[in-house]
Amino acid sequence: MAAIKNKRNWLIGLIVLLILTGISTSFLINDKFSAIKNDPFSTSKLNILVVGYDSSINGPPRADTIMIASVDLATKDIGVLFVPRDTRVKIPGYGIGKINASHAYGGIELTDKTLEKFLDIPIDYYVETDFNGFSDIIDSIGGVNIDIEKPLNYVDKAGGVNIDLPAGKNIHLNGGEALDYVRYRGPVKADIGRIQRQQKFIKAVMDKILKPDIIVKLPDIYKNVTDAVNTNIPLKDVSPFIKLAKNTELNSLEIDMVPGEPKYINEVSYWLPNKDKLNILVNNLIKSKEYIKNSEYKVSLYNGNGKSGLAGDVADTLNKYGFNISTVGNADNFNYEKTIIKYYNKDAEKVASGIKKLLGGQIDYSEDDKNEIKIIIGQDYLERENYNEGSS
């Protein structure tokens, strides 16, 4: 294990590709993850920390890209949570700081420990790579094509960074250019804008991996993969990852990021997490997969009690749980005493029952609403949430 953990190889490439794509193989030795097999509570959730770190020119490398990939082994659903590198967290043994500093203080192991406490989740495996490893794996698959909305230009002579990518449709990026694309921060949105590009980039890589000609490149990909990653994934768990990839559908992937806002605290710029929203997101995207399932349902919301802005507030709440809000407006009148949640089939009935636990009211079957769950918010919701004339 020590040899694996100390080897900087690109096993991350293999693992990420296997998790996020459907590369198939019939060579299966072991079909159970040791992290799951050794768990006395028999969980079906597998959480993998993926970290990309910067150079050590200016001291120990800090984590530049951080994400948690959570896989439900029973349903094959995948949730990916991006953690902005400036996220303000408590680092064990070091106090409050940015999450990327945990890597400089104690490597991937401390980042792992910090995130477990911050998100209140177990992390089963970790994989990390530096920028060179990232470039090599992208070159191995022949680069990627992506739409670039605006020119990306940035020069940092001290850091050796010179990013110059033109805007355009279906721009082809080699490994080095792809690295520039995902690293670029820019003056607007900074780290958050970069995470959005990284999310877009993941989808572009998946599109490329699905092309038939990628199979002939697998030997070269594997060589680069095994040359540049540090991981604690034991060799015996590689074949279960292969089996997982074989049975995974790409449309079961949901990507989000730690909710919050940029804020200066003691003259230091942080990404300050919104704890309430984060707890909901973690519960649904990582601890369970309802967030992904909920996104399949369209929900229309109607204000049936006359409280201004109420339907929008409820829409915000349901958005946190992954629902696809199709309509927000007023009901035919404001005299509804009770909230009504209308469903259209048995599967939607289960979802409607969950919404009832959240909003209260009653659930009713409706033949008229074939493709969406319809909610009319009644007076009882105001009482449930303790609304008053001065609330917003």
PDB file of all heavy atoms in Angstrom, residues 307-310 313 382 385-392:
ATOM      1  N   LYS A 307     -49.738  35.337  -0.514  1.00  0.00           N
ATOM      2  CA  LYS A 307     -48.511  35.876   0.067  1.00  0.00           C
ATOM      3  C   LYS A 307     -47.514  36.178  -1.050  1.00  0.00           C
ATOM      4  O   LYS A 307     -47.064  35.281  -1.760  1.00  0.00           O
ATOM      5  CB  LYS A 307     -47.912  34.879   1.062  1.00  0.00           C
ATOM      6  CG  LYS A 307     -46.594  35.326   1.672  1.00  0.00           C
ATOM      7  CD  LYS A 307     -46.780  36.551   2.555  1.00  0.00           C
ATOM      8  CE  LYS A 307     -45.455  36.963   3.183  1.00  0.00           C
ATOM      9  NZ  LYS A 307     -45.596  38.147   4.032  1.00  0.00           N
ATOM     10  N   SER A 308     -47.143  37.437  -1.214  1.00  0.00           N
ATOM     11  CA  SER A 308     -46.269  37.848  -2.302  1.00  0.00           C
ATOM     12  C   SER A 308     -44.908  37.143  -2.254  1.00  0.00           C
ATOM     13  O   SER A 308     -44.277  37.081  -1.197  1.00  0.00           O
ATOM     14  CB  SER A 308     -46.060  39.371  -2.257  1.00  0.00           C
ATOM     15  OG  SER A 308     -45.176  39.786  -3.273  1.00  0.00           O
ATOM     16  N   GLY A 309     -44.481  36.606  -3.388  1.00  0.00           N
ATOM     17  CA  GLY A 309     -43.166  35.976  -3.509  1.00  0.00           C
ATOM     18  C   GLY A 309     -43.080  34.572  -2.957  1.00  0.00           C
ATOM     19  O   GLY A 309     -42.013  33.941  -3.004  1.00  0.00           O
ATOM     20  N   LEU A 310     -44.196  34.034  -2.461  1.00  0.00           N
ATOM     21  CA  LEU A 310     -44.154  32.737  -1.792  1.00  0.00           C
ATOM     22  C   LEU A 310     -43.809  31.598  -2.753  1.00  0.00           C
ATOM     23  O   LEU A 310     -43.006  30.723  -2.428  1.00  0.00           O
ATOM     24  CB  LEU A 310     -45.486  32.450  -1.116  1.00  0.00           C
ATOM     25  CG  LEU A 310     -45.561  31.147  -0.324  1.00  0.00           C
ATOM     26  CD1 LEU A 310     -44.538  31.155   0.802  1.00  0.00           C
ATOM     27  CD2 LEU A 310     -46.967  30.933   0.235  1.00  0.00           C
ATOM     28  N   ASP A 313     -40.212  31.464  -3.335  1.00  0.00           N
ATOM     29  CA  ASP A 313     -39.482  30.916  -2.185  1.00  0.00           C
ATOM     30  C   ASP A 313     -39.542  29.392  -2.167  1.00  0.00           C
ATOM     31  O   ASP A 313     -38.537  28.714  -1.911  1.00  0.00           O
ATOM     32  CB  ASP A 313     -40.070  31.467  -0.870  1.00  0.00           C
ATOM     33  CG  ASP A 313     -39.776  32.939  -0.673  1.00  0.00           C
ATOM     34  OD1 ASP A 313     -38.878  33.461  -1.374  1.00  0.00           O
ATOM     35  OD2 ASP A 313     -40.437  33.565   0.179  1.00  0.00           O
ATOM     36  N   LEU A 382     -48.158  28.811   5.174  1.00  0.00           N
ATOM     37  CA  LEU A 382     -47.766  30.016   5.908  1.00  0.00           C
ATOM     38  C   LEU A 382     -47.686  29.719   7.396  1.00  0.00           C
ATOM     39  O   LEU A 382     -46.750  30.153   8.091  1.00  0.00           O
ATOM     40  CB  LEU A 382     -48.780  31.134   5.662  1.00  0.00           C
ATOM     41  CG  LEU A 382     -48.929  31.647   4.222  1.00  0.00           C
ATOM     42  CD1 LEU A 382     -49.970  32.749   4.182  1.00  0.00           C
ATOM     43  CD2 LEU A 382     -47.602  32.155   3.694  1.00  0.00           C
ATOM     44  N   GLU A 385     -44.640  27.445   8.175  1.00  0.00           N
ATOM     45  CA  GLU A 385     -43.344  28.121   8.107  1.00  0.00           C
ATOM     46  C   GLU A 385     -43.294  29.388   8.940  1.00  0.00           C
ATOM     47  O   GLU A 385     -42.322  30.140   8.875  1.00  0.00           O
ATOM     48  CB  GLU A 385     -43.016  28.452   6.646  1.00  0.00           C
ATOM     49  CG  GLU A 385     -42.894  27.233   5.750  1.00  0.00           C
ATOM     50  CD  GLU A 385     -41.787  26.300   6.201  1.00  0.00           C
ATOM     51  OE1 GLU A 385     -40.697  26.805   6.534  1.00  0.00           O
ATOM     52  OE2 GLU A 385     -42.013  25.073   6.235  1.00  0.00           O
ATOM     53  N   ASN A 386     -44.384  29.674   9.687  1.00  0.00           N
ATOM     54  CA  ASN A 386     -44.431  30.860  10.564  1.00  0.00           C
ATOM     55  C   ASN A 386     -44.219  32.156   9.809  1.00  0.00           C
ATOM     56  O   ASN A 386     -43.474  33.037  10.235  1.00  0.00           O
ATOM     57  CB  ASN A 386     -43.405  30.741  11.700  1.00  0.00           C
ATOM     58  CG  ASN A 386     -43.715  29.593  12.628  1.00  0.00           C
ATOM     59  OD1 ASN A 386     -44.859  29.368  12.984  1.00  0.00           O
ATOM     60  ND2 ASN A 386     -42.671  28.852  13.017  1.00  0.00           N
ATOM     61  N   TYR A 387     -44.845  32.254   8.627  1.00  0.00           N
ATOM     62  CA  TYR A 387     -44.790  33.507   7.875  1.00  0.00           C
ATOM     63  C   TYR A 387     -45.572  34.577   8.626  1.00  0.00           C
ATOM     64  O   TYR A 387     -46.574  34.299   9.285  1.00  0.00           O
ATOM     65  CB  TYR A 387     -45.392  33.332   6.483  1.00  0.00           C
ATOM     66  CG  TYR A 387     -44.379  32.914   5.440  1.00  0.00           C
ATOM     67  CD1 TYR A 387     -43.977  31.595   5.349  1.00  0.00           C
ATOM     68  CD2 TYR A 387     -43.858  33.839   4.555  1.00  0.00           C
ATOM     69  CE1 TYR A 387     -43.041  31.195   4.396  1.00  0.00           C
ATOM     70  CE2 TYR A 387     -42.934  33.468   3.594  1.00  0.00           C
ATOM     71  CZ  TYR A 387     -42.522  32.141   3.516  1.00  0.00           C
ATOM     72  OH  TYR A 387     -41.619  31.772   2.572  1.00  0.00           O
ATOM     73  N   ASN A 388     -45.150  35.820   8.487  1.00  0.00           N
ATOM     74  CA  ASN A 388     -45.903  36.934   9.046  1.00  0.00           C
ATOM     75  C   ASN A 388     -45.823  38.114   8.103  1.00  0.00           C
ATOM     76  O   ASN A 388     -45.159  38.046   7.070  1.00  0.00           O
ATOM     77  CB  ASN A 388     -45.378  37.321  10.444  1.00  0.00           C
ATOM     78  CG  ASN A 388     -43.879  37.641  10.413  1.00  0.00           C
ATOM     79  OD1 ASN A 388     -43.447  38.526   9.697  1.00  0.00           O
ATOM     80  ND2 ASN A 388     -43.089  36.918  11.219  1.00  0.00           N
ATOM     81  N   GLU A 389     -46.507  39.163   8.421  1.00  0.00           N
ATOM     82  CA  GLU A 389     -46.580  40.310   7.511  1.00  0.00           C
ATOM     83  C   GLU A 389     -45.233  40.932   7.235  1.00  0.00           C
ATOM     84  O   GLU A 389     -45.011  41.551   6.199  1.00  0.00           O
ATOM     85  CB  GLU A 389     -47.539  41.367   8.099  1.00  0.00           C
ATOM     86  CG  GLU A 389     -48.981  40.913   8.153  1.00  0.00           C
ATOM     87  CD  GLU A 389     -49.534  40.525   6.796  1.00  0.00           C
ATOM     88  OE1 GLU A 389     -49.206  41.198   5.806  1.00  0.00           O
ATOM     89  OE2 GLU A 389     -50.293  39.545   6.712  1.00  0.00           O
ATOM     90  N   GLY A 390     -44.295  40.786   8.143  1.00  0.00           N
ATOM     91  CA  GLY A 390     -43.008  41.423   7.951  1.00  0.00           C
ATOM     92  C   GLY A 390     -41.990  40.541   7.276  1.00  0.00           C
ATOM     93  O   GLY A 390     -40.885  40.967   7.006  1.00  0.00           O
ATOM     94  N   SER A 391     -42.342  39.261   7.016  1.00  0.00           N
ATOM     95  CA  SER A 391     -41.363  38.350   6.409  1.00  0.00           C
ATOM     96  C   SER A 391     -41.277  38.559   4.931  1.00  0.00           C
ATOM     97  O   SER A 391     -42.156  39.113   4.309  1.00  0.00           O
ATOM     98  CB  SER A 391     -41.738  36.898   6.718  1.00  0.00           C
ATOM     99  OG  SER A 391     -42.944  36.564   6.090  1.00  0.00           O
ATOM    100  N   SER A 392     -40.188  38.118   4.338  1.00  0.00           N
ATOM    101  CA  SER A 392     -40.004  38.285   2.910  1.00  0.00           C
ATOM    102  C   SER A 392     -40.072  36.954   2.226  1.00  0.00           C
ATOM    103  O   SER A 392     -39.971  35.920   2.841  1.00  0.00           O
ATOM    104  CB  SER A 392     -38.652  38.940   2.630  1.00  0.00           C
ATOM    105  OG  SER A 392     -37.608  38.202   3.209  1.00  0.00           O
TER     106      SER A 392
END
